[in-house]
Amino acid sequence: MGLLIAACASLTVWLWLTLAQGMFWRTDTRLPPRTAPARWPSVAVVVPARDEAEVLPRSLASLLAQDYPGEAGIVLVDDGSTDGTAALARRLAAEQPGLPLTVLTPSDPPPGWTGKLWALRHGITHATRSAADTPEYLLLTDADIAHEPDSLRELVAAATTGGLDLVSQMARLRVESVWERLVVPAFVYFFAQLYPFRRINRPASRTAAAAGGCVLLRTEAAVRAGIPDSIRQAVIDDVALARAVRRSGGRIWLGLAERVDSVRPYPALADLWRMVSRSAYAQLRHRPLLLAGTVAGLVLVYLVPPAALLAGLAAGRPAVAAAGGAAWLLMAGTYLPMLRYYRQPAALAPLLPFTALLYLLMTVDSAVQHYRGRGAAWKGRTYARPGDA
């Protein structure tokens, strides 16, 4: 009886997710309709970088090659790199004509700041140091993100046409290794389930999120929202940034990218594990009750359906098998559009429960590492939760 109740509960959740959670499973939210502005506004591209020499030849080269009709420049902030990131950036700029590049090397972040946001602060301060030359927009982009030559132009056109203060695109992540194919599309699928793009893009919505790899931000909106100082402790800085902009009255937009790609490889499961576990417990605000609820929710929503189907078939309980199978079918069906977006075979859709189990274990590991004093660790730095900073 208990398994039947659990299977029916899971099916109910999947019916609600499919029909009432902002159509999170659709992947057609791309840059909104746009036209070229009469005057192209000035833009400063700010790139925080820490030990990024491996990816800069593709990512920075793509920024230097931007075909932007207005005034634009790049500020790369070397956040304590030990692999020659700053020297490589200068060499790439010297070898490739294009947008002008400035390389900054600030001191280590003080207590209460994450390294990325401290780097962004220096880059934004440098770009806006003169009132007469303050850029009208800031493109905040990660050092592992490659942009097609028209990326900046299209982002600015979308912002000016729609009167948007923040335009963010979730870069298409790399999917080449076996583990990338299994884990990466699900990562974006789970994100969209938590933060449905259509709901975010409604002006009156309270849901807010952005994708930190590609954020075009109106400078006035950044000042109004106190960016980045107001979110200086945020480990999940992109969501915090979008919330700050929305709270200050700004209009935001988030969608999937077509011509913006992450070039960072995650060839092994351990690489993907670190990517997720470093911030999973921070997403739960370091609260054990939220962790327990998340684990229970993942089990009910993703693990009960296949268990109910198999147990129902084995025990000759058709009602249990039918409820579990229907829930699993909805799960796989809503995952298919994301697999198509990532050009992956539909055969991966039924494997989503296994991937969800991996994410469950990553989330638990994130909490364990936090209580061992190694939580929110990234590239040699470990950040305390905001209340402890």
Side-chain angles (χ1 to χ4, degrees), residues 201-228:
N201 298 341
R202 295 173 190 160
S205 174
R206 297 179 62 182
T207 304
C214 177
V215 176
L216 182 75
L217 179 62
R218 193 189 303 270
T219 306
E220 289 181 3
V223 172
R224 191 169 61 243
I227 303 297

PDB file of all heavy atoms in Angstrom, residues 201-228:
ATOM      1  N   ASN A 201      10.822  35.683 -16.992  1.00  0.00           N
ATOM      2  CA  ASN A 201      10.738  36.756 -17.973  1.00  0.00           C
ATOM      3  C   ASN A 201       9.443  37.563 -17.923  1.00  0.00           C
ATOM      4  O   ASN A 201       9.284  38.518 -18.677  1.00  0.00           O
ATOM      5  CB  ASN A 201      10.943  36.169 -19.375  1.00  0.00           C
ATOM      6  CG  ASN A 201      12.327  35.541 -19.525  1.00  0.00           C
ATOM      7  OD1 ASN A 201      13.232  35.838 -18.757  1.00  0.00           O
ATOM      8  ND2 ASN A 201      12.476  34.674 -20.496  1.00  0.00           N
ATOM      9  N   ARG A 202       8.523  37.174 -17.046  1.00  0.00           N
ATOM     10  CA  ARG A 202       7.329  37.996 -16.849  1.00  0.00           C
ATOM     11  C   ARG A 202       7.691  39.194 -15.981  1.00  0.00           C
ATOM     12  O   ARG A 202       8.252  39.047 -14.895  1.00  0.00           O
ATOM     13  CB  ARG A 202       6.237  37.187 -16.168  1.00  0.00           C
ATOM     14  CG  ARG A 202       5.705  36.016 -16.989  1.00  0.00           C
ATOM     15  CD  ARG A 202       4.763  35.188 -16.143  1.00  0.00           C
ATOM     16  NE  ARG A 202       4.403  33.921 -16.780  1.00  0.00           N
ATOM     17  CZ  ARG A 202       3.931  32.869 -16.133  1.00  0.00           C
ATOM     18  NH1 ARG A 202       3.763  32.932 -14.811  1.00  0.00           N
ATOM     19  NH2 ARG A 202       3.642  31.772 -16.787  1.00  0.00           N
ATOM     20  N   PRO A 203       7.349  40.416 -16.413  1.00  0.00           N
ATOM     21  CA  PRO A 203       7.730  41.602 -15.649  1.00  0.00           C
ATOM     22  C   PRO A 203       7.247  41.595 -14.207  1.00  0.00           C
ATOM     23  O   PRO A 203       7.942  42.088 -13.313  1.00  0.00           O
ATOM     24  CB  PRO A 203       7.094  42.753 -16.446  1.00  0.00           C
ATOM     25  CG  PRO A 203       6.973  42.212 -17.842  1.00  0.00           C
ATOM     26  CD  PRO A 203       6.697  40.757 -17.688  1.00  0.00           C
ATOM     27  N   ALA A 204       6.069  41.046 -13.935  1.00  0.00           N
ATOM     28  CA  ALA A 204       5.514  41.086 -12.581  1.00  0.00           C
ATOM     29  C   ALA A 204       5.906  39.874 -11.740  1.00  0.00           C
ATOM     30  O   ALA A 204       5.497  39.764 -10.590  1.00  0.00           O
ATOM     31  CB  ALA A 204       3.994  41.190 -12.648  1.00  0.00           C
ATOM     32  N   SER A 205       6.721  38.978 -12.289  1.00  0.00           N
ATOM     33  CA  SER A 205       7.064  37.749 -11.574  1.00  0.00           C
ATOM     34  C   SER A 205       8.020  38.026 -10.423  1.00  0.00           C
ATOM     35  O   SER A 205       8.842  38.944 -10.471  1.00  0.00           O
ATOM     36  CB  SER A 205       7.704  36.749 -12.535  1.00  0.00           C
ATOM     37  OG  SER A 205       8.167  35.612 -11.850  1.00  0.00           O
ATOM     38  N   ARG A 206       7.931  37.183  -9.388  1.00  0.00           N
ATOM     39  CA  ARG A 206       8.862  37.275  -8.267  1.00  0.00           C
ATOM     40  C   ARG A 206      10.039  36.317  -8.430  1.00  0.00           C
ATOM     41  O   ARG A 206      11.000  36.381  -7.674  1.00  0.00           O
ATOM     42  CB  ARG A 206       8.121  36.968  -6.957  1.00  0.00           C
ATOM     43  CG  ARG A 206       7.013  37.967  -6.632  1.00  0.00           C
ATOM     44  CD  ARG A 206       6.292  37.601  -5.354  1.00  0.00           C
ATOM     45  NE  ARG A 206       7.182  37.611  -4.203  1.00  0.00           N
ATOM     46  CZ  ARG A 206       6.810  37.284  -2.969  1.00  0.00           C
ATOM     47  NH1 ARG A 206       5.564  36.880  -2.744  1.00  0.00           N
ATOM     48  NH2 ARG A 206       7.679  37.327  -1.976  1.00  0.00           N
ATOM     49  N   THR A 207       9.953  35.415  -9.408  1.00  0.00           N
ATOM     50  CA  THR A 207      11.036  34.486  -9.670  1.00  0.00           C
ATOM     51  C   THR A 207      12.155  35.209 -10.418  1.00  0.00           C
ATOM     52  O   THR A 207      11.896  35.928 -11.378  1.00  0.00           O
ATOM     53  CB  THR A 207      10.549  33.300 -10.512  1.00  0.00           C
ATOM     54  OG1 THR A 207       9.446  32.679  -9.853  1.00  0.00           O
ATOM     55  CG2 THR A 207      11.657  32.278 -10.716  1.00  0.00           C
ATOM     56  N   ALA A 208      13.391  35.020  -9.968  1.00  0.00           N
ATOM     57  CA  ALA A 208      14.517  35.708 -10.590  1.00  0.00           C
ATOM     58  C   ALA A 208      15.716  34.785 -10.628  1.00  0.00           C
ATOM     59  O   ALA A 208      16.023  34.093  -9.664  1.00  0.00           O
ATOM     60  CB  ALA A 208      14.863  36.983  -9.832  1.00  0.00           C
ATOM     61  N   ALA A 209      16.401  34.781 -11.759  1.00  0.00           N
ATOM     62  CA  ALA A 209      17.635  34.015 -11.908  1.00  0.00           C
ATOM     63  C   ALA A 209      18.348  34.513 -13.153  1.00  0.00           C
ATOM     64  O   ALA A 209      17.746  35.140 -14.032  1.00  0.00           O
ATOM     65  CB  ALA A 209      17.367  32.516 -12.005  1.00  0.00           C
ATOM     66  N   ALA A 210      19.632  34.240 -13.215  1.00  0.00           N
ATOM     67  CA  ALA A 210      20.434  34.544 -14.392  1.00  0.00           C
ATOM     68  C   ALA A 210      21.457  33.434 -14.546  1.00  0.00           C
ATOM     69  O   ALA A 210      21.606  32.586 -13.667  1.00  0.00           O
ATOM     70  CB  ALA A 210      21.122  35.910 -14.248  1.00  0.00           C
ATOM     71  N   ALA A 211      22.144  33.428 -15.667  1.00  0.00           N
ATOM     72  CA  ALA A 211      23.223  32.473 -15.902  1.00  0.00           C
ATOM     73  C   ALA A 211      24.520  33.263 -15.913  1.00  0.00           C
ATOM     74  O   ALA A 211      24.756  34.094 -16.805  1.00  0.00           O
ATOM     75  CB  ALA A 211      23.013  31.743 -17.220  1.00  0.00           C
ATOM     76  N   GLY A 212      25.359  33.033 -14.906  1.00  0.00           N
ATOM     77  CA  GLY A 212      26.512  33.893 -14.673  1.00  0.00           C
ATOM     78  C   GLY A 212      27.523  33.934 -15.786  1.00  0.00           C
ATOM     79  O   GLY A 212      28.330  34.866 -15.854  1.00  0.00           O
ATOM     80  N   GLY A 213      27.499  32.971 -16.691  1.00  0.00           N
ATOM     81  CA  GLY A 213      28.470  32.982 -17.773  1.00  0.00           C
ATOM     82  C   GLY A 213      28.246  34.065 -18.799  1.00  0.00           C
ATOM     83  O   GLY A 213      29.168  34.439 -19.527  1.00  0.00           O
ATOM     84  N   CYS A 214      27.033  34.601 -18.879  1.00  0.00           N
ATOM     85  CA  CYS A 214      26.711  35.609 -19.897  1.00  0.00           C
ATOM     86  C   CYS A 214      25.588  36.493 -19.373  1.00  0.00           C
ATOM     87  O   CYS A 214      24.415  36.127 -19.450  1.00  0.00           O
ATOM     88  CB  CYS A 214      26.308  34.924 -21.204  1.00  0.00           C
ATOM     89  SG  CYS A 214      25.810  36.070 -22.514  1.00  0.00           S
ATOM     90  N   VAL A 215      25.945  37.660 -18.852  1.00  0.00           N
ATOM     91  CA  VAL A 215      24.971  38.597 -18.290  1.00  0.00           C
ATOM     92  C   VAL A 215      25.263  39.989 -18.834  1.00  0.00           C
ATOM     93  O   VAL A 215      26.328  40.558 -18.566  1.00  0.00           O
ATOM     94  CB  VAL A 215      25.037  38.638 -16.752  1.00  0.00           C
ATOM     95  CG1 VAL A 215      24.069  39.692 -16.205  1.00  0.00           C
ATOM     96  CG2 VAL A 215      24.725  37.270 -16.158  1.00  0.00           C
ATOM     97  N   LEU A 216      24.335  40.524 -19.621  1.00  0.00           N
ATOM     98  CA  LEU A 216      24.422  41.913 -20.050  1.00  0.00           C
ATOM     99  C   LEU A 216      23.600  42.735 -19.067  1.00  0.00           C
ATOM    100  O   LEU A 216      22.396  42.490 -18.903  1.00  0.00           O
ATOM    101  CB  LEU A 216      23.892  42.102 -21.471  1.00  0.00           C
ATOM    102  CG  LEU A 216      24.000  43.533 -21.999  1.00  0.00           C
ATOM    103  CD1 LEU A 216      25.449  43.860 -22.360  1.00  0.00           C
ATOM    104  CD2 LEU A 216      23.097  43.750 -23.211  1.00  0.00           C
ATOM    105  N   LEU A 217      24.228  43.718 -18.431  1.00  0.00           N
ATOM    106  CA  LEU A 217      23.599  44.465 -17.345  1.00  0.00           C
ATOM    107  C   LEU A 217      23.707  45.953 -17.619  1.00  0.00           C
ATOM    108  O   LEU A 217      24.802  46.472 -17.890  1.00  0.00           O
ATOM    109  CB  LEU A 217      24.294  44.117 -16.022  1.00  0.00           C
ATOM    110  CG  LEU A 217      23.819  44.788 -14.747  1.00  0.00           C
ATOM    111  CD1 LEU A 217      22.370  44.441 -14.438  1.00  0.00           C
ATOM    112  CD2 LEU A 217      24.721  44.382 -13.578  1.00  0.00           C
ATOM    113  N   ARG A 218      22.573  46.631 -17.558  1.00  0.00           N
ATOM    114  CA  ARG A 218      22.594  48.087 -17.698  1.00  0.00           C
ATOM    115  C   ARG A 218      23.342  48.687 -16.513  1.00  0.00           C
ATOM    116  O   ARG A 218      23.079  48.338 -15.354  1.00  0.00           O
ATOM    117  CB  ARG A 218      21.171  48.632 -17.762  1.00  0.00           C
ATOM    118  CG  ARG A 218      21.097  50.092 -18.227  1.00  0.00           C
ATOM    119  CD  ARG A 218      19.684  50.634 -18.060  1.00  0.00           C
ATOM    120  NE  ARG A 218      18.700  49.837 -18.765  1.00  0.00           N
ATOM    121  CZ  ARG A 218      18.325  50.049 -20.022  1.00  0.00           C
ATOM    122  NH1 ARG A 218      18.885  51.040 -20.706  1.00  0.00           N
ATOM    123  NH2 ARG A 218      17.415  49.277 -20.595  1.00  0.00           N
ATOM    124  N   THR A 219      24.271  49.565 -16.771  1.00  0.00           N
ATOM    125  CA  THR A 219      25.100  50.111 -15.701  1.00  0.00           C
ATOM    126  C   THR A 219      24.260  50.835 -14.655  1.00  0.00           C
ATOM    127  O   THR A 219      24.514  50.713 -13.443  1.00  0.00           O
ATOM    128  CB  THR A 219      26.164  51.064 -16.271  1.00  0.00           C
ATOM    129  OG1 THR A 219      26.906  50.387 -17.289  1.00  0.00           O
ATOM    130  CG2 THR A 219      27.120  51.532 -15.183  1.00  0.00           C
ATOM    131  N   GLU A 220      23.250  51.565 -15.078  1.00  0.00           N
ATOM    132  CA  GLU A 220      22.364  52.246 -14.126  1.00  0.00           C
ATOM    133  C   GLU A 220      21.682  51.240 -13.205  1.00  0.00           C
ATOM    134  O   GLU A 220      21.519  51.492 -12.007  1.00  0.00           O
ATOM    135  CB  GLU A 220      21.311  53.067 -14.878  1.00  0.00           C
ATOM    136  CG  GLU A 220      21.858  54.295 -15.579  1.00  0.00           C
ATOM    137  CD  GLU A 220      20.751  55.078 -16.275  1.00  0.00           C
ATOM    138  OE1 GLU A 220      19.563  54.670 -16.150  1.00  0.00           O
ATOM    139  OE2 GLU A 220      21.059  56.080 -16.933  1.00  0.00           O
ATOM    140  N   ALA A 221      21.274  50.108 -13.750  1.00  0.00           N
ATOM    141  CA  ALA A 221      20.635  49.073 -12.938  1.00  0.00           C
ATOM    142  C   ALA A 221      21.618  48.473 -11.952  1.00  0.00           C
ATOM    143  O   ALA A 221      21.255  48.140 -10.817  1.00  0.00           O
ATOM    144  CB  ALA A 221      20.050  47.987 -13.841  1.00  0.00           C
ATOM    145  N   ALA A 222      22.871  48.296 -12.375  1.00  0.00           N
ATOM    146  CA  ALA A 222      23.892  47.773 -11.469  1.00  0.00           C
ATOM    147  C   ALA A 222      24.113  48.714 -10.298  1.00  0.00           C
ATOM    148  O   ALA A 222      24.216  48.284  -9.140  1.00  0.00           O
ATOM    149  CB  ALA A 222      25.197  47.559 -12.233  1.00  0.00           C
ATOM    150  N   VAL A 223      24.161  50.005 -10.580  1.00  0.00           N
ATOM    151  CA  VAL A 223      24.342  50.998  -9.507  1.00  0.00           C
ATOM    152  C   VAL A 223      23.137  50.991  -8.580  1.00  0.00           C
ATOM    153  O   VAL A 223      23.270  51.008  -7.351  1.00  0.00           O
ATOM    154  CB  VAL A 223      24.568  52.395 -10.117  1.00  0.00           C
ATOM    155  CG1 VAL A 223      24.560  53.460  -9.025  1.00  0.00           C
ATOM    156  CG2 VAL A 223      25.881  52.432 -10.895  1.00  0.00           C
ATOM    157  N   ARG A 224      21.943  50.956  -9.151  1.00  0.00           N
ATOM    158  CA  ARG A 224      20.719  50.958  -8.353  1.00  0.00           C
ATOM    159  C   ARG A 224      20.624  49.740  -7.447  1.00  0.00           C
ATOM    160  O   ARG A 224      20.165  49.825  -6.308  1.00  0.00           O
ATOM    161  CB  ARG A 224      19.513  51.022  -9.292  1.00  0.00           C
ATOM    162  CG  ARG A 224      18.184  51.293  -8.609  1.00  0.00           C
ATOM    163  CD  ARG A 224      17.100  51.600  -9.615  1.00  0.00           C
ATOM    164  NE  ARG A 224      16.861  50.495 -10.530  1.00  0.00           N
ATOM    165  CZ  ARG A 224      17.057  50.562 -11.854  1.00  0.00           C
ATOM    166  NH1 ARG A 224      17.482  51.682 -12.412  1.00  0.00           N
ATOM    167  NH2 ARG A 224      16.814  49.516 -12.628  1.00  0.00           N
ATOM    168  N   ALA A 225      21.088  48.595  -7.937  1.00  0.00           N
ATOM    169  CA  ALA A 225      21.018  47.351  -7.163  1.00  0.00           C
ATOM    170  C   ALA A 225      22.241  47.140  -6.280  1.00  0.00           C
ATOM    171  O   ALA A 225      22.301  46.158  -5.532  1.00  0.00           O
ATOM    172  CB  ALA A 225      20.852  46.167  -8.102  1.00  0.00           C
ATOM    173  N   GLY A 226      23.231  48.032  -6.369  1.00  0.00           N
ATOM    174  CA  GLY A 226      24.429  47.888  -5.552  1.00  0.00           C
ATOM    175  C   GLY A 226      25.303  46.721  -5.959  1.00  0.00           C
ATOM    176  O   GLY A 226      25.980  46.124  -5.115  1.00  0.00           O
ATOM    177  N   ILE A 227      25.325  46.408  -7.244  1.00  0.00           N
ATOM    178  CA  ILE A 227      26.109  45.286  -7.761  1.00  0.00           C
ATOM    179  C   ILE A 227      27.559  45.728  -7.955  1.00  0.00           C
ATOM    180  O   ILE A 227      27.807  46.784  -8.544  1.00  0.00           O
ATOM    181  CB  ILE A 227      25.539  44.791  -9.110  1.00  0.00           C
ATOM    182  CG1 ILE A 227      24.074  44.391  -8.974  1.00  0.00           C
ATOM    183  CG2 ILE A 227      26.375  43.661  -9.666  1.00  0.00           C
ATOM    184  CD1 ILE A 227      23.816  43.244  -8.051  1.00  0.00           C
ATOM    185  N   PRO A 228      28.533  44.955  -7.459  1.00  0.00           N
ATOM    186  CA  PRO A 228      28.387  43.636  -6.832  1.00  0.00           C
ATOM    187  C   PRO A 228      28.402  43.650  -5.305  1.00  0.00           C
ATOM    188  O   PRO A 228      28.299  42.598  -4.693  1.00  0.00           O
ATOM    189  CB  PRO A 228      29.612  42.887  -7.366  1.00  0.00           C
ATOM    190  CG  PRO A 228      30.659  43.935  -7.419  1.00  0.00           C
ATOM    191  CD  PRO A 228      29.940  45.206  -7.822  1.00  0.00           C
TER     192      PRO A 228
END
